[in-house]
C-alpha cells in the first residue's frame, strides 16, 4: 500500500477548525460536484508563489460545482508562521476563496499521505480520488509555468471526462512534522511518479 492515497480511494474524513472559527467536515461540502482538498501553509515560497493562480482556478470553477478546501498541517514547532493565528491573519489579508483548516495533530495529512505544500487532491461526486499531485509545473515562479495540471484536471472533471494526467509529483516544501527535523519525511513517503 502506498503512502499517499491512490486513485479511486474515498476521501478520508476530517473535522477541523477553520479560520472563520467553525469546524468543518466532509459533509459540509456534500453539495459540491467536485471537491479539491489541498495541503498548504502560510510560509512556503511554493505556496506563496502559486496562491494567486490557485485563487484564479478556484474562482473559475466555483460556478461549476467545485469547492476548494485548504488544510495546514505544518508543525508550529518548526515554523511559527504556520500557527492558527497566522492562518487567520493571512485569510483576513488575502480573502482566499476556500475554507482554510488547521490540522493540529497532523492526522489528516497522514490519512491523505500529503507530501508537500502545496499538494492537491481532487475528488469526484462520489468522493473518489481522480487526481493527485501538483497545481503548476513551476509553483515558486508561476510566471515561468507552462502547465497547470490542476486547471487541466478540473476542466476534464467538470465535463465528466477521464483525467488525462491523473497523477503528478507535488512540487513544494515538505510537510513540517511535529518533533522532527524540518526536512524529515516518513520513510514510506515517495514520489508518486518515478522521476526519469
Amino acid at each position: 500500500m502506498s503512502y499517499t492515497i491512490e486513485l479511486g480511494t474515498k476521501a478520508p474524513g476530517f473535522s477541523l477548525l477553520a479560520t472563520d472559527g467553525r469546524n468543518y467536515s466532509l459533509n459540509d461540502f456534500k453539495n459540491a460536484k467536485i471537491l479539491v482538498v489541498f495541503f498548504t501553509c502560510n510560509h512556503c515560497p511554493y505556496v506563496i508563489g502559486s496562491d494567486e493562480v490557485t485563487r484564479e482556478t478556484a474562482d473559475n470553477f466555483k460556478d461549476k460545482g467545485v469547492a476548494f478546501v485548504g488544510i495546514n498541517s505544518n508543525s508550529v514547532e518548526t515554523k511559527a508562521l504556520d500557527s492558527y493565528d497566522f492562518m487567520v491573519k493571512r485569510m483576513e489579508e488575502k480573502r482566499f476563496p476556500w475554507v482554510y483548516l488547521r490540522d493540529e495533530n497532523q492526522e489528516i495529512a497522514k490519512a491523505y499521505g500529503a507530501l508537500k505544500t502545496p499538494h492537491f487532491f481532487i475528488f469526484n461526486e462520489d468522493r473518489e480520488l481522480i487526481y493527485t499531485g501538483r497545481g503548476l509545473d513551476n509553483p515558486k515562479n508561476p510566471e515561468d509555468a507552462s502547465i497547470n495540471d490542476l486547471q487541466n484536471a478540473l476542466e476534464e472533471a467538470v465535463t465528466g471526462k477521464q483525467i488525462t494526467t491523473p497523477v503528478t509529483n507535488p512540487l513544494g516544501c515538505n510537510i513540517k512534522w511535529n518533533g522532527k527535523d524540518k526536512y524529515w519525511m516518513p520513510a514510506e513517503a515517495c514520489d508518486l511518479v518515478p522521476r526519469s
Side-chain angles (χ1 to χ4, degrees), residues 54-63 68 97:
T54 306
R55 179 203 298 275
E56 189 178 323
T57 302
D59 284 340
N60 287 345
F61 286 94
K62 68 182 176 186
D63 293 332
F68 276 64

Side-chain angles (χ1 to χ4, degrees), residues 31-176:
N31 293 329
K33 180 180 175 185
I34 304 289
L35 182 65
V36 179
V37 176
F38 67 107
F39 289 81
T40 184
C41 66
N42 299 327
H43 82 278
C44 170
Y46 296 86
V47 167
I48 292 168
S50 60
D51 261 344
E52 289 307 315
V53 178
T54 306
R55 179 203 298 275
E56 189 178 323
T57 302
D59 284 340
N60 287 345
F61 286 94
K62 68 182 176 186
D63 293 332
K64 297 177 182 176
V66 179
F68 276 64
V69 178
I71 300 177
N72 181 358
S73 302
N74 275 358
S75 170
V76 294
E77 300 164 15
T78 310
K79 282 287 180 184
L81 275 176
D82 281 325
S83 72
Y84 177 77
D85 288 343
F86 278 108
M87 289 172 58
V88 172
K89 185 178 177 184
R90 191 151 193 265
M91 282 297 274
E92 285 173 352
E93 288 174 358
K94 300 292 186 179
R95 302 194 175 277
F96 291 122
W98 50 76
V99 175
Y100 193 16
L101 306 176
R102 178 68 186 151
D103 176 23
E104 193 71 38
N105 66 12
Q106 305 187 309
E107 288 303 315
I108 306 308
K110 290 173 189 167
Y112 281 74
L115 297 170
K116 308 273 185 178
T117 55
H119 186 167
F120 295 89
F121 297 78
I122 302 177
F123 297 92
N124 64 16
E125 202 160 7
D126 296 324
R127 294 302 176 258
E128 296 162 339
L129 185 67
I130 56 173
Y131 174 83
T132 183
R134 68 191 186 187
L136 297 173
D137 64 342
N138 194 339
K140 198 172 182 181
N141 300 294
E143 64 278 4
D144 296 326
S146 58
I147 302 170
N148 187 334
D149 287 288
L150 179 64
Q151 175 97 9
N152 293 344
L154 286 173
E155 283 175 357
E156 292 176 327
V158 297
T159 56
K161 293 178 182 172
Q162 185 121 3
I163 309 302
T164 303
T165 306
V167 181
T168 60
N169 288 320
L171 299 173
C173 303
N174 61 290
I175 303 287
K176 309 305 181 200

